[in-house]
Amino acid sequence: MERLTPEPAAAVVPKAPGRWQIATVTAIAVETPTVKSFTLALPIWMPHLPGQHYDVRLTAPDGYQAQRSYSIASSPLTSGEIQLTIDRLDDGEVSPWFHDVVEVGDKVEVRGPFAAYFVWSGEQPALLLGGGSGVVPLMAMLRHKRLTAPELEMRLIYSVRLATDVIYAAELAAGEETQLTYTRVPPPGWEGHSGRVDAAMIAASGVDPARGTAFACGSNGFVESASRLLLDAGFAPERIKTERYGPTG
Amino acid sequence: MSEFFSRGFGGRRRPPEGKADRIPPGQYYEAGFPVLTAGPTPTVETGSWSFSVDGVVGAARSWSWDEFQALPAEEVPCDIHCVTKWTKLDTSFRGVSVDTLLADVEPLGGYATAFSYGGYTTNLALEDLTDGKAWVVTEWEGEPLPSEHGGPARLLVPHLYFWKSAKWVAGLRLMDHDEPGFWESNGYHMHGDPWREERYWND
Ligand SMILES: Cc1cc2nc3c(=O)[nH]c(=O)nc-3n(C[C@H](O)[C@H](O)[C@H](O)COP(=O)(O)OP(=O)(O)OC[C@H]3O[C@@H](n4cnc5c(N)ncnc54)[C@H](O)[C@@H]3O)c2cc1C
């Protein structure tokens, strides 16, 4: 089989490049009213595994610093740059800075790529479950699959609140992989699923729980309920990988 | 101090007055208690729970839940630091010191692997587990430890990043060498001292 990822699965972890570097913002895309994607050109680029993240560090004039982690949204085949997709939390420190301040040409200090657990190394069939901005690392997986092995079985179950909350809407609509659900208000005329992700949606994905690997990412509540549904559907715990963003209630 | 500034960044989440020196580099002050787990939350019943100390030891030991409850417990006020960047100050747990658990086993190696229900492992040097630096805790802020935070029992090693404080802990295996655990095999640091920012492999 062709190599799907930059590193063979056995030696899956690239050497963590610990060094901070100064990236340049080369493009900004407005995804939804609260989400933007930032393309960063990196002086020292290395291929990542879909699912990995970068750390971002902001520095104030008095030396105060803030660090946060952001998943990579782009495929590792997009060399020289990465895309980060950031949801604006109104009372947050780092995400509003990206939304309210950053323009094309600005510099951002980053280091990565990091972590090697929540990564897709070509497993199939793969079932991806994303809630809100949890879709970001799953998009890296989906983009990479489309570029390297479009015939692989990969499905995405994507939960959003409203029609306007769908990140990467046009790109997702260009393929057949995605099942959307709207938890608050579906768009007019919507005939697909609405409400929270449930057992029926997982069954409808067609991914065989006996063979499939599942990746769930989102808020803690989303990931807890998704992983319970996956267990109930028959996925073995070691084939349910999760990534949780942000705090819990 | 870095020479690079982020245009237009002032910093909104500065630590509360007088507490800045308790926030390690790269961490931010978090009032809540976020959850970080690699997979589904396992269900661990206290009826079938046990905690064991084995591996290279003079005498292995194990305790049932009731036996464990009878061990001397202490309140552990502490600050905790998660590698995902948040730091929680002034929290408290209650549990049994690892010194108590090791008292009669006679460790013969300098390292340990903490292992958990659900298969999680993490590696620690014995010196990071002894001399009042580590506990097996069953309560958080006066309540039974919630399962999403590792209940019924988790390891607590507050001076290291919190992934070392294995949730749903089932025992300690003493070793004569340092062997990477789960996150340590997946790009995270072998030691994990937040004050030296030992986050990832090359740090
Ligand atoms: C491995 C990893 C990957 C991540 N990838 C992404 C990504 O691709 N895109 C993305 O937008 N975010 C991602 N995050 C979350 C990101 O790191 C920040 O936590 C988030 O942007 C908030 O930072 P902030 O400085 O704006 O808010 P903060 O100042 O940290 O927090 C503001 C307030 O909001 C709360 N809060 C923090 N995070 C959340 C949240 N996610 N939901 C609701 N409330 C929250 C805090 O408790 C606080 O009360 C990732 C986190 C991790 C650990």
Side-chain angles (χ1 to χ4, degrees):
Chain A
M1 196 168 73
E2 272 176 18
R3 227 195 233 192
L4 301 173
T5 57
E7 297 275 339
V12 94
V13 192
K15 271 260 181 257
R19 247 179 314 152
W20 289 101
Q21 53 174 316
I22 296 176
T24 305
V25 177
T26 56
I28 301 175
V30 177
E31 303 279 2
T32 80
T34 65
V35 176
K36 288 182 183 177
S37 290
F38 301 84
T39 304
L40 304 179
L42 302 181
I44 315 164
W45 180 86
M46 68 171 291
H48 56 270
L49 298 165
Q52 285 190 297
H53 70 266
Y54 269 69
D55 283 356
V56 167
R57 178 167 76 181
L58 306 187
T59 305
D62 65 354
Y64 170 81
Q65 295 187 321
Q67 285 189 34
R68 299 290 184 274
S69 300
Y70 291 100
S71 302
I72 308 157
S74 44
S75 156
L77 291 184
T78 327
S79 69
E81 60 180 44
I82 54 166
Q83 189 188 56
L84 306 181
T85 299
I86 300 181
D87 189 9
R88 186 184 196 285
L89 296 182
D90 289 338
D91 65 339
E93 179 168 51
V94 172
S95 61
W97 179 81
F98 271 94
H99 278 258
D100 305 344
V101 176
V102 172
E103 295 168 0
V104 169
D106 271 326
K107 309 280 187 202
V108 183
E109 208 175 2
V110 301
R111 64 175 192 151
F114 289 126
Y117 171 70
F118 191 80
V119 296
W120 180 65
S121 315
E123 296 93 340
Q124 72 147 336
L127 177 56
L128 319 181
L129 296 98
S133 59
V135 75
V136 177
L138 309 178
M139 193 62 189
M141 300 177 190
L142 186 61
R143 283 171 165 165
H144 197 52
K145 183 218 71 145
R146 284 185 180 177
L147 287 171
T148 56
E151 72 288 355
L152 282 197
E153 188 183 347
M154 178 181 279
R155 304 285 306 172
L156 169 65
I157 294 177
Y158 180 16
S159 171
V160 294
R161 291 169 311 148
L162 310 169
T164 48
D165 288 341
V166 184
I167 310 174
Y168 318 120
E171 210 177 325
L172 291 175
E176 301 288 310
E177 302 95 344
T178 308
Q179 294 160 262
L180 272 170
T181 184
Y182 298 91
T183 57
R184 298 264 169 86
V185 189
W190 173 250
E191 290 179 356
H193 198 276
S194 42
R196 289 166 165 237
V197 174
D198 60 15
M201 265 193 109
I202 290 178
S205 76
V207 173
D208 177 4
R211 296 186 304 123
T213 302
F215 295 84
C217 184
S219 67
N220 186 59
F222 176 84
V223 169
E224 276 296 306
S225 86
S227 42
R228 225 167 289 130
L229 289 167
L230 289 162
L231 286 172
D232 291 347
F235 285 84
E238 60 275 16
R239 280 186 292 101
I240 304 174
K241 302 193 176 197
T242 66
E243 180 108 289
R244 297 157 204 250
Y245 289 175
T248 47
Chain B
M1 198 186 290
S2 152
E3 295 178 4
F4 174 78
F5 302 121
S6 309
R7 184 180 66 81
F9 177 67
R12 286 190 190 170
R13 193 163 284 276
R14 290 167 188 257
E17 200 67 40
K19 294 190 171 168
D21 59 350
R22 289 165 63 191
I23 312 282
Q27 296 290 107
Y28 68 91
Y29 171 82
E30 166 67 56
F33 189 0
V35 173
L36 187 83
T37 305
T41 299
T43 310
V44 184
E45 305 291 345
T46 53
S48 50
W49 183 91
S50 72
F51 185 87
S52 53
V53 180
D54 58 21
V56 293
V57 292
R61 287 218 53 177
S62 129
W63 295 264
S64 69
W65 181 256
D66 291 339
E67 290 163 347
F68 196 85
Q69 294 300 309
L71 295 171
E74 59 196 49
E75 199 66 25
V76 189
C78 58
D79 299 343
I80 55 181
H81 313 290
C82 178
V83 74
T84 65
K85 312 284 156 51
W86 54 266
T87 280
K88 183 172 179 60
L89 299 181
D90 300 313
T91 189
S92 73
F93 294 85
R94 186 178 175 77
V96 178
S97 168
V98 171
D99 294 317
T100 304
L101 300 171
L102 294 181
D104 299 324
V105 305
E106 195 197 340
L108 301 172
Y111 300 92
T113 291
F115 55 96
S116 296
Y117 293 96
Y120 182 80
T121 57
T122 188
N123 56 301
L124 297 127
L126 192 58
E127 61 184 21
D128 282 315
L129 286 168
T130 50
D131 288 331
K133 291 202 279 299
W135 295 263
V136 172
V137 296
T138 52
E139 287 179 26
W140 174 55
E141 299 194 345
E143 301 288 335
L145 186 66
S147 65
E148 63 173 6
H149 287 304
R154 79 180 296 163
L155 190 63
L156 177 68
V157 192
H159 72 288
L160 300 178
Y161 282 124
F162 214 41
W163 89 77
K164 294 287 186 183
S165 294
K167 296 179 180 185
W168 313 294
V169 71
L172 290 172
R173 183 153 301 139
L174 273 295
M175 323 257 288
D176 56 15
H177 63 286
D178 196 11
E179 194 168 300
F182 179 81
W183 289 115
E184 297 83 2
S185 302
N186 282 292
Y188 289 87
H189 200 273
M190 288 291 273
H191 183 231
D193 179 347
W195 293 99
R196 292 156 68 180
E197 247 197 305
E198 294 171 342
R199 298 179 191 278
Y200 306 112
W201 280 355
N202 290 358
D203 285 344

